[in-house]
Amino acid sequence: MRFNDAIPGALFLVIGIFAFVHAGGFTRFPGVPYGPDLFPRIIAVMMGGGGLMLVVSGLRGAGRAPWITLADWAREPRSYALFFSVVGAVLFYIFLSGALGFLLCGALMLTALLMITRGAGTIISSAAIAVVVTIVIHLVFAEMLRVPLPFGVIERWLV
Amino acid sequence: METLLAAFELVFRWEILGVILAACVFGIFAGAMPGISATVAVALLVPITFFMEPVAALAAIATAVAMAIFAGDLPGALLRIPGMPASAAYAEEAHEMTLKGKGGTVLMVALLCSVLGGLVGTAALAFSAPLLAEFALEFQYYEYFWLACIGLSTAALVAASNPVKGMISLSIGLLLATVGLDLISGQPRFTFGTLSLMEGIHFIPVMIGIFAVAEVLRALIHPPRADARMARVQKIDFGEAFRTIWRYKGNLGRGSVVGTLIGALPGAGSDIAAWVSYGYARKRSKTPEKFGTGHPEGIVAASASNNAATSSTWVPSLVFGIPGDSVTAIVIGVLFLKGLEPGPNVFIENAPLVYSIFVSFFIANLFLIPVGYVAIRLASQLLKVSNEVLMPIILIFTMVGAFAINNSMMGVAIALIAGIGSFFMQENDYPVAPLILGMVIGTLLEKNFMQAMIAQQGDLTAFFSRPIAATLGVITILIWAAPVISAIRRRRQRRAALSNNSTKAPGEAVE
């Protein structure tokens, strides 16, 4: 999905202006010739200036690019389904792993995602892959590397 | 010599050799998958290296990259889809040889040339880095400030196809680096009153998002168009492989040297090295017309070249702390995490550690021969692993990795946001390497500037008062001026072309 350069350009221009103004509120430290606002402001000028150049080049000329160009993938509904299922899987994990624990949450998420990428008919093999992968990751991160992965239903039962 | 022995002692332990072997297998697998580049492989490896001692962590990264660069040749030769940008230069040529039934042999040639090129690059790294470090000991804030500027500017302006987009990508990274408590004044910046932003945004979840999460989205949405069932096991003719390398030994040497030199430049890595060496081999060839029809001459040069560049690209990173590409930017971030500030001092304070990196590169290149041979034999099975299974598994791995750095879900959320952002940036031709470079070097750049200015009481001319600093400063300004000058020149040419047309037009009307 390609945007006309003017759209992200305007976004970067706004972020640049905001960062520049916001940095003005950083208090100076006595004895330091340049305050903590100097670098953020230089960066804000770089970003805003770049954004402005993109706005100008995006709007100018007879051969102006359309606001949004859809690439081949963006014409297919399946692409959106894949995109949002990946994003949804991560959000599901962020919000529910605390309650469900890593093993259950990870296995559920992975089963669902594999069924979306491979087709709904693969439920048994997808669930099998998901369970094996979740257990391997649990062994590597929680047991070997001692990462405190979210503790939940199955973990409580195992201990 | 003593340091070298100490380095050998550090590396020749069962744990480290085991880590190197595991990284070999992982690197080969990752490199052979068209969705996973060397950078993605490193991004996936970092959360695990986070828990290792420094020698093991650096050995694992160095090994995985060296393997992945070779393994990119496997799908390049067998399916004509390069597994890595570094293999793209000769994927077609190698595929033509596969069609002639010489796929196994050409991969063996590529493997041996990769090993030899890698060894040349490692030797160059081991000899030049300590010498350069001795020279760099004289450097102060001023020189480091300019070096950081050169590193960032080449990545944003020279290496990117659109300098404006490169500059914006860099400014996003720099801005993210300023979030948190300011090092000099202790002031919170861009924290908006949230406690969790006080310690700043950690670069590892951002990096995992930018490279790995975005790659999962890209690989699922734009699947590479090739039929893995087409990959058949190919016979390896060892005699022919050795004869080919011997016949083109000049190309092997030139490719290795060119790769080493290009790798050592900031902003240029193994993919540029492969293209340049392939082009140069064709130019020097007695039979340039055979290139593109399944002729091994260019493959010898380019596959040696990309592996040589993989080692030498560590030179600017280790000596000056200025990474040349995104992989070494991640390496620098890992060094900081281990409490080691890269730069000439690390060669004095931690010489055995630095030498152990050279030793691991050396061992990795030797391990490449057996592991690579097995990979060639198993290539047709390896390529059958489908993205539909692999990508969801990578996704859950990235989530656990992003969580493990601070044991917080904040990391997973940052990785997701960075991944979506990076996906849209890449769709719109924004390079993402400058972003990660900016995030890693940004703090260093500001710290050097501020410390220099405190020492000089705000006198900016100090940045030009020492000869080396002045030279580096002039180079930086030239890099900044180059895109402006070329834009003005382009506009003049266009105007000249337009006025030529308008003077011609009435004449044509008369005719």
Side-chain angles (χ1 to χ4, degrees):
Chain A
M1 190 177 292
R2 290 184 63 93
F3 296 99
N4 179 309
D5 281 349
I7 296 176
L11 178 72
F12 291 122
L13 181 60
V14 169
I15 299 176
I17 292 171
F18 169 77
F20 191 88
V21 174
H22 184 78
F26 301 156
T27 357
R28 286 197 165 207
F29 198 65
V32 183
Y34 299 97
D37 58 322
L38 176 73
F39 263 72
R41 285 196 147 169
I42 294 175
I43 300 163
V45 169
M46 256 171 75
M47 186 183 276
L52 188 65
M53 281 190 240
L54 289 180
V55 169
V56 171
S57 68
L59 293 180
R60 208 177 38 188
R64 187 176 72 82
W67 292 118
I68 295 178
T69 317
L70 293 180
D72 286 345
W73 68 263
R75 292 177 203 281
E76 286 174 32
R78 182 166 163 76
S79 305
Y80 295 93
L82 286 168
F83 183 91
F84 287 109
S85 57
V86 168
V87 175
V90 180
L91 291 175
F92 175 80
Y93 181 83
I94 291 176
F95 290 112
L96 288 178
S97 59
L100 300 176
F102 173 74
L103 286 171
L104 183 61
C105 187
L108 284 178
M109 182 211 103
L110 205 50
T111 309
L113 201 54
L114 284 167
M115 277 168 63
I116 292 167
T117 57
R118 302 168 71 219
T122 60
I123 180 158
I124 294 169
S125 62
S126 292
I129 297 173
V131 168
V132 171
V133 169
T134 320
I135 291 174
V136 169
I137 292 183
H138 178 82
L139 289 177
V140 171
F141 279 90
E143 302 296 325
M144 273 170 62
L145 303 177
R146 298 270 155 217
V147 175
L149 291 176
F151 194 85
V153 187
I154 300 180
E155 286 88 347
R156 210 165 292 138
W157 180 66
L158 279 177
V159 174
Chain B
M1 199 62 216
E2 241 167 72
T3 12
L4 200 62
L5 282 178
F8 270 101
E9 254 170 55
L10 276 175
V11 177
F12 279 92
R13 283 177 292 152
W14 286 114
E15 313 92 90
I16 306 285
L17 292 176
V19 164
I20 293 182
L21 189 63
C24 269
V25 176
F26 170 74
I28 289 276
F29 180 77
M33 298 293 129
I36 310 179
S37 66
T39 319
V40 177
V42 173
L44 292 173
L45 202 56
V46 164
I48 294 182
T49 61
F50 187 68
F51 296 94
M52 295 178 183
E53 52 170 315
V55 177
L58 294 168
I61 295 175
T63 311
V65 175
M67 298 295 138
I69 295 286
F70 158 70
D73 297 353
L74 295 171
L78 298 179
L79 302 173
R80 207 174 159 203
I81 351 167
M84 295 278 153
S87 303
Y90 50 93
E92 250 187 69
E93 186 95 67
H95 186 65
E96 289 295 327
M97 293 200 64
T98 303
L99 294 180
K100 289 184 187 170
K102 292 183 179 174
T105 311
V106 72
L107 282 171
M108 201 63 211
V109 169
L111 171 64
L112 294 174
C113 292
S114 294
V115 171
L116 294 168
L119 291 175
V120 171
T122 306
L125 170 68
F127 286 109
S128 69
L131 290 177
L132 275 171
E134 214 162 289
F135 171 68
L137 275 177
E138 303 285 313
F139 287 12
Q140 290 181 3
Y141 312 124
Y142 320 102
E143 285 82 10
Y144 283 113
F145 173 79
W146 286 125
L147 279 170
C149 284
I150 292 177
L152 293 176
S153 313
T154 42
L157 302 175
V158 183
S161 58
N162 180 336
V164 177
K165 290 181 175 175
M167 184 174 85
I168 288 183
S169 170
L170 172 64
S171 66
I172 299 172
L174 290 171
L175 205 58
L176 288 176
T178 65
V179 174
L181 294 181
D182 174 33
L183 285 175
I184 305 286
S185 65
Q187 282 283 319
R189 296 193 291 189
F190 300 110
T191 55
F192 306 105
T194 37
L195 208 60
S196 51
L197 285 177
M198 287 281 192
E199 52 186 308
I201 296 179
H202 206 292
F203 97 99
I204 290 184
V206 175
M207 172 216 58
I208 289 177
I210 282 184
F211 295 113
V213 177
E215 207 50 58
V216 168
L217 287 169
R218 277 157 58 88
L220 284 177
I221 291 175
H222 321 252
R225 277 191 214 100
D227 195 350
R229 279 166 300 181
M230 296 288 289
R232 294 254 179 275
V233 188
Q234 301 259 334
K235 205 166 86 320
I236 302 175
D237 183 342
F238 284 97
E240 196 186 339
F242 289 125
R243 277 195 301 279
T244 306
I245 296 173
W246 183 249
R247 190 176 323 133
Y248 299 118
K249 53 189 180 296
N251 280 298
L252 177 67
R254 277 194 296 273
S256 305
V257 173
V258 169
T260 305
L261 294 177
I262 291 181
L265 294 175
S270 45
D271 37 350
I272 298 177
W275 284 107
V276 171
S277 295
Y278 185 82
Y280 190 59
R282 173 186 237 159
K283 205 170 168 188
R284 292 280 305 244
S285 171
K286 288 183 193 103
T287 53
E289 70 283 353
K290 281 191 187 166
F291 275 66
T293 61
H295 184 59
E297 199 172 349
I299 299 175
V300 168
S303 60
S305 186
N306 58 18
N307 272 65
T310 319
S311 311
S312 64
T313 191
W314 288 52
V315 171
S317 319
L318 286 175
V319 177
F320 306 120
I322 308 298
D325 59 5
S326 23
V327 169
T328 41
I330 299 172
V331 167
I332 294 217
V334 170
L335 284 170
F336 273 116
L337 283 180
K338 303 277 173 208
L340 297 162
E341 193 164 334
N345 282 325
V346 86
F347 284 79
I348 297 170
E349 289 156 13
N350 273 304
L353 176 73
V354 177
Y355 280 85
S356 73
I357 299 175
F358 307 154
V359 175
S360 347
F361 256 121
F362 196 77
I363 298 175
N365 274 299
L366 296 181
F367 274 23
L368 182 54
I369 301 176
V371 179
Y373 172 72
V374 174
I376 296 175
R377 297 306 295 261
L378 296 179
S380 52
Q381 271 85 26
L382 206 58
L383 295 174
K384 281 198 184 94
V385 177
S386 77
N387 273 340
E388 286 138 22
V389 177
L390 193 61
M391 291 300 154
I393 295 176
I394 290 181
L395 185 71
I396 189 169
F397 194 81
T398 61
M399 285 153 56
V400 175
F403 174 83
I405 304 305
N406 281 340
N407 296 331
S408 96
M409 279 295 161
M410 182 79 173
V412 186
I414 290 176
L416 177 66
I417 297 168
I420 297 173
S422 161
F423 174 80
F424 281 104
M425 282 175 73
Q426 293 180 58
E427 283 289 313
N428 287 282
D429 297 332
Y430 287 80
V432 290
L435 196 165
I436 214 71
L437 284 171
M439 233 188 136
V440 171
I441 317 186
T443 327
L444 188 82
L445 186 73
E446 183 173 12
K447 200 177 82 184
N448 281 319
F449 179 83
M450 287 298 175
Q451 285 176 336
M453 285 299 97
I454 292 170
Q456 297 294 328
Q457 287 162 348
D459 180 13
L460 283 171
T461 54
F463 284 101
F464 290 95
S465 59
R466 294 157 54 95
I468 299 175
T471 316
L472 294 172
V474 170
I475 294 175
T476 312
I477 292 167
L478 286 177
I479 296 174
W480 290 345
V484 180
I485 293 170
S486 74
I488 293 172
R489 194 176 291 167
R490 238 179 294 138
R491 186 165 303 171
R492 266 204 202 136
Q493 277 170 355
R494 212 182 302 148
R495 209 166 285 164
L498 275 179
S499 61
N500 272 350
N501 281 347
S502 57
T503 50
K504 239 183 224 165
E508 278 163 34
V510 171
E511 278 169 34

